[in-house]
Amino acid sequence: MFIRMLFVMLSAFWAVNTHAQVASVERGATLFQSECARCHVQADIEMRIRNSWIGRPAIELHQEIMSTMPAETPGSLSPAQYLDLTAYVLGLASATGSIENMTITDLAGFTIRQGGEDVGPDYMPWANINGDLNANRYSPLEQINVSNVQDLQIAWRWKAENFGPRPEGLNVTSPIMVDGVLYATAGTTRNVVAIDAESGQTLWMWRPMEGERFESSPRKNSGKGVAYWTDGQNNVIFVVTPGYFMAALDAKTGDLVESFADGGILDLTEGLRVSPVRDDLDVTLTFPPTVVGDVVVVGAAHQVSMRPPHADNIKGDVRAYDARSGELLWTHRNIPVAGEMGYDTWLNDSAQTSGNGGVWSAMSADPELGLIYLPTESATGDRYGGDRPGNNLFTNSVVALDYRTGEYRWHYQFVHHDIWDYDTPSTPILADLPDGRKVLVQLTKQAFAYVLDRATGEPIWEIEERPVPQTDVPGEWTAATQPHPTKPPAYDRQGISDADLLNFTPEILAKAREAVKPYRMGEFFAPPSVANAADGTLGTLSLPGTLGGSNWEGGAYDPDTGVLYIPSRTDVAVLSLVPGAEFSTVDWIQGPARTPTVNGLPIVRPPWGRITAMNLSTGEIDWTVANADTPARIADHPLLQGVEIPRTGIPTRAGLLVTKSLLFAGEGQGGNPVFRAHDKKTGEILAEIDLPASQTGLPMTYTQNGKQYIVMAVSGSGSAEIIALALPN
């Protein structure tokens, strides 16, 4: 009642003071470009309206715009100007019932709705690798719904076999779609392709020509995709190449944007803090940069650091560039220099002689708060850190920065002194909860979801520092405690004991116990151990393993219900150390890592892959299902003849997409060629759609000319492809 009265009072005030001003979309567009476009990308605004405002009163959106825009001076425009801005923003979202020529009094009684018929809007983009800067992987589209999802069929197929120097067998690109065009990467040389969103026709292709920089790249592959930027007039695609250049391409033609950097190409190796003891250039990036407003932010990736030649390496600094010119705007050092915050967590001045610590995944951002969130990796190396004693900030953390200036705001470290390769692997998810709380959720390889206030970094539920096992490796240093959330609970298994061993029959359990005898049974956060140590073991069994738990695929969040869907795997790793000897100047490096099995069966109980529904309002798990059927090699195994076993899942991580009606999941790299639609409330499988090969890139969805498509990269059967699913005409 109070809100309604307030609206009436405000309406009367504005009506008098604006002389019955009516809304103008045209004036709003001009205002948006002059006052808002430097912080808010048009495609992000479109997705934000569709994700968070459908079904709500337009007057509430009007109030939100008044209180947050322009970002530097909210509330500084006139009431008439804010009315025009509201009209323009609603127009971007294809809301039905245009508010063109409406007064503020009319606005108070207008409810925001999706455009078009019940099937949804005529056009809805997917302009970011994760759908939006909030990384929700959510779309309000529901043309494809519970009643018809079983009718999905392949609308078109785009083959990657002729891109790159050889046919591409694995592609993990996650396409984006803007203005009826899909943009993706293909081939080991990371060609950028533009594809018609309705027909699958190739519109243009750009191929980097990197020579020796490509040949020496630590990660030669097609990468995870591209980023999009527009100022309303210019439309640009950004991609980071295997040789660590960033290219700016005209989205319409594929031509280099000559005004950006050096003729459209920016050399990202310039200004790096390189290692004085290494001659190679161990740096690249497979993920696209992150675009916030007119700022392009770029991370860094390196070779896998299980057996590094030196404890020192290139430092993975995060840098931001002007989207128009390529000018360097700021640099954030995850490995600080003397005098900077966090330097004292690198004992013995080891920050000076350590490397890595970059951001190899995608980042998320909250333009309203002005923050970008960095998920950071570990330092050199992945199994031994005796050369870098201390907790090692800002590695294995999420770091919040002002995206315009790079100024530090807050951080939270998930792993102190990482020696498990527990990088922060996925984009932080920015969840707007149904009760209005705005949180950040970081999924981790260790199968914890850390839930933080995204403005301050304060935990929503208590996170306890608990004692963990300590090292007995000569020269190593281990943290006495590691952070354990009290809520939500772990969404996959942590630590391995006799109770975790495969036990379908007494014979199988006996074989499992025999198979693990040469190893230490590792409780959660048990450190690596020396192979053939005094106790005669070959290393320590670890769960989650090096690949997680979670990894780069991240999760999918439903803002309507407050439920987060998480893919994870249960796969044991062997943490084994041997002397560096002639291979490395590091004292200890990864040794033999063959995981024990039971006559080829996994050593631990299933499920070996799962999808978990986590309620972020309560901090509890709603349900868990296996991510796949039981493989034939398991069901037909001689040791299991006549034994009834549950649906086991497989040790892969599903690629997830959540819509208004459904949760979609593939089986990920190494999985089966099937795409499933699940009931969001129960996890029940509602439909199974056959694919040409297994889903390997993250699925996305959009509408073009009134038709909804679901698109993903598939691999594993001949050359990789990008396919589109849609309902029959």
Side-chain angles (χ1 to χ4, degrees):
M1 178 64 70
F2 171 76
I3 293 176
R4 287 185 175 276
M5 291 178 63
L6 177 63
F7 287 161
V8 171
M9 293 170 62
L10 289 174
S11 298
F13 172 80
W14 286 320
V16 170
N17 284 275
T18 60
H19 304 289
Q21 175 72 49
V22 296
S24 165
V25 172
E26 182 178 355
R27 289 196 303 265
T30 302
L31 270 171
F32 186 90
Q33 293 303 320
S34 64
E35 301 293 341
C36 309
R38 59 186 175 274
C39 299
H40 297 280
V41 177
Q42 178 176 321
D44 294 337
I45 290 288
E46 295 173 22
M47 190 65 72
R48 185 179 294 271
I49 296 300
R50 290 166 182 152
N51 285 357
S52 303
W53 288 93
I54 299 299
R56 296 171 62 180
I59 192 70
E60 292 184 10
L61 175 64
H62 183 267
Q63 291 297 298
E64 179 79 8
I65 292 172
M66 283 192 66
S67 64
T68 60
M69 296 171 68
E72 300 90 343
T73 55
S76 61
L77 304 181
S78 70
Q81 288 175 312
Y82 279 115
L83 182 60
D84 292 339
L85 268 180
T86 304
Y88 175 68
V89 167
L90 284 174
L92 286 179
S94 301
T96 56
S98 170
I99 69 167
E100 180 80 14
N101 296 323
M102 281 191 180
T103 67
I104 192 66
T105 303
D106 298 326
L107 195 65
F110 178 75
T111 299
I112 303 171
R113 305 186 305 280
Q114 288 184 357
E117 304 298 327
D118 291 341
V119 296
D122 187 61
Y123 164 75
M124 183 177 288
W126 185 276
N128 178 285
I129 184 175
N130 288 304
D132 196 358
L133 283 170
N134 59 20
N136 283 187
R137 300 202 54 74
Y138 168 84
S139 172
L141 295 176
E142 53 180 343
Q143 182 183 97
I144 300 169
N145 55 53
V146 174
S147 67
N148 59 28
V149 64
Q150 69 277 359
D151 299 327
L152 277 178
Q153 59 187 30
I154 294 177
W156 52 258
R157 299 169 67 172
W158 185 93
K159 294 183 177 293
E161 60 189 353
N162 294 325
F163 293 83
R166 59 183 179 275
E168 183 176 37
L170 173 64
N171 187 303
V172 295
T173 190
S174 298
I176 61 174
M177 195 285 277
V178 182
D179 294 334
V181 180
L182 283 165
Y183 301 95
T185 47
T188 55
T189 48
R190 204 168 301 161
N191 307 294
V192 179
V193 294
I195 304 169
D196 185 277
E198 290 184 274
S199 67
Q201 176 185 358
T202 303
L203 301 177
W204 56 254
M205 184 271 285
W206 177 80
R207 178 164 62 107
M209 304 288 286
E210 300 187 284
E212 177 55 32
R213 283 277 285 274
F214 171 77
E215 297 300 330
S216 61
S217 172
R219 296 176 187 257
K220 293 188 280 287
N221 56 49
S222 54
K224 307 291 195 305
V226 301
Y228 171 79
W229 171 78
T230 183
D231 60 2
Q233 296 180 330
N234 302 292
N235 303 283
V236 178
I237 298 298
F238 289 103
V239 66
V240 179
T241 68
Y244 207 46
F245 293 93
M246 183 163 63
L249 309 174
D250 186 296
K252 294 183 179 179
T253 65
D255 295 333
L256 289 168
V257 178
E258 294 289 334
S259 58
F260 181 83
D262 185 9
I265 299 289
L266 178 66
D267 188 344
L268 293 170
T269 66
E270 293 183 2
L272 284 176
R273 294 188 290 166
V274 299
S275 167
V277 299
R278 294 184 62 163
D279 296 328
D280 62 322
L281 200 62
D282 178 24
V283 66
T284 186
L285 186 66
T286 62
F287 275 85
T290 300
V291 178
V292 195
D294 293 337
V295 180
V296 185
V297 187
V298 185
H302 308 79
Q303 290 178 340
V304 175
S305 191
M306 297 290 178
R307 300 167 65 87
H310 303 280
D312 199 350
N313 196 13
I314 292 175
K315 298 182 190 327
D317 295 341
V318 176
R319 292 168 294 171
Y321 300 89
D322 182 272
R324 291 181 173 83
S325 66
E327 175 189 0
L328 178 66
L329 300 177
W330 52 260
T331 299
H332 173 74
R333 292 180 282 271
N334 290 316
I335 300 178
V337 299
E340 288 184 338
M341 179 182 178
Y343 184 81
D344 59 350
T345 67
W346 300 75
L347 305 181
N348 303 336
D349 294 317
S350 56
Q352 298 181 17
T353 54
S354 189
N356 292 67
V359 174
W360 56 256
S361 189
M363 307 170 216
S364 55
D366 186 331
E368 292 179 4
L369 291 176
L371 298 179
I372 186 167
Y373 303 96
L374 283 52
T376 65
E377 66 158 352
S378 61
T380 317
D382 288 335
R383 284 288 181 266
Y384 177 75
D387 300 291
R388 49 174 173 84
N391 281 350
N392 304 150
L393 286 178
F394 294 95
T395 63
N396 301 88
S397 304
V398 62
V399 182
L401 308 175
D402 185 306
Y403 79 84
R404 304 175 193 87
T405 65
E407 182 179 355
Y408 168 87
R409 295 300 190 204
W410 60 261
H411 79 278
Y412 195 93
Q413 188 177 47
F414 309 113
V415 183
H416 312 314
H417 188 84
D418 184 16
I419 47 178
W420 301 269
D421 191 26
Y422 281 165
D423 298 340
T424 313
S426 59
T427 311
I429 296 166
L430 309 185
D432 292 345
L433 302 187
D435 64 4
R437 287 181 297 172
K438 297 180 180 295
V439 302
L440 176 148
V441 186
Q442 183 62 63
L443 303 179
T444 60
K445 288 186 178 182
Q446 54 269 37
F448 275 138
Y450 292 85
V451 185
L452 311 172
D453 182 291
R454 69 175 184 251
T456 66
E458 291 297 316
I460 298 300
W461 293 285
E462 183 181 4
I463 301 175
E464 298 176 346
E465 288 284 344
R466 298 178 185 171
V468 293
Q470 296 297 288
T471 185
D472 61 2
V473 175
E476 183 59 282
W477 185 99
T478 38
T481 63
Q482 295 289 351
H484 290 62
T486 57
K487 273 190 172 186
Y491 49 85
D492 213 305
R493 212 166 301 156
Q494 295 175 324
I496 179 171
S497 67
D498 186 80
D500 296 294
L501 297 181
L502 194 65
N503 62 353
F504 286 146
T505 68
E507 179 188 7
I508 288 174
L509 179 58
K511 286 179 177 289
R513 285 170 172 164
E514 188 66 25
V516 300
K517 280 184 177 180
Y519 303 89
R520 296 183 183 183
M521 296 289 277
E523 60 180 292
F524 188 38
F525 277 117
S529 59
V530 176
N532 296 314
D535 59 7
T537 56
L538 300 178
T540 298
L541 300 182
S542 177
L543 195 63
T546 300
L547 299 177
S550 293
N551 210 287
W552 64 268
E553 297 87 351
Y557 174 68
D558 187 342
D560 296 329
T561 63
V563 175
L564 174 63
Y565 301 96
I566 308 168
S568 62
R569 59 184 284 165
T570 305
D571 197 22
V572 178
V574 177
L575 311 184
S576 168
L577 293 175
V578 296
E582 296 180 2
F583 180 83
S584 175
T585 62
V586 179
D587 289 343
W588 302 98
I589 58 176
Q590 172 72 50
R594 184 182 295 276
T595 304
T597 67
V598 180
N599 292 25
L601 296 172
I603 198 70
V604 293
R605 295 180 288 106
W608 300 309
R610 66 191 76 194
I611 301 170
T612 300
M614 179 178 288
N615 191 315
L616 294 181
S617 295
T618 65
E620 302 294 343
I621 289 175
D622 285 350
W623 53 257
T624 298
V625 297
N627 68 348
D629 295 332
T630 302
R633 69 175 185 84
I634 302 292
D636 299 337
H637 196 281
L639 290 176
L640 293 173
Q641 295 306 301
V643 179
E644 290 190 15
I645 59 176
R647 188 169 182 259
T648 64
I650 55 178
T652 65
R653 293 175 304 272
L656 301 184
L657 167 70
V658 64
T659 68
K660 193 79 172 177
S661 304
L662 295 162
L663 171 67
F664 291 97
E667 292 192 6
Q669 184 179 343
N672 297 301
V674 62
F675 191 60
R676 296 184 176 91
H678 294 263
D679 185 294
K680 294 194 298 184
K681 293 183 179 179
T682 66
E684 177 188 357
I685 297 171
L686 301 177
E688 294 186 327
I689 298 95
D690 291 332
L691 303 176
S694 57
Q695 164 265 318
T696 50
L698 297 178
M700 51 84 81
T701 189
Y702 58 87
T703 54
Q704 176 66 15
N705 287 331
K707 192 175 187 67
Q708 183 182 358
Y709 298 84
I710 297 174
V711 170
M712 73 199 83
V714 299
S715 310
S717 177
S719 64
E721 301 180 52
I722 297 173
I723 66 163
L725 301 174
L727 296 171
N729 293 325

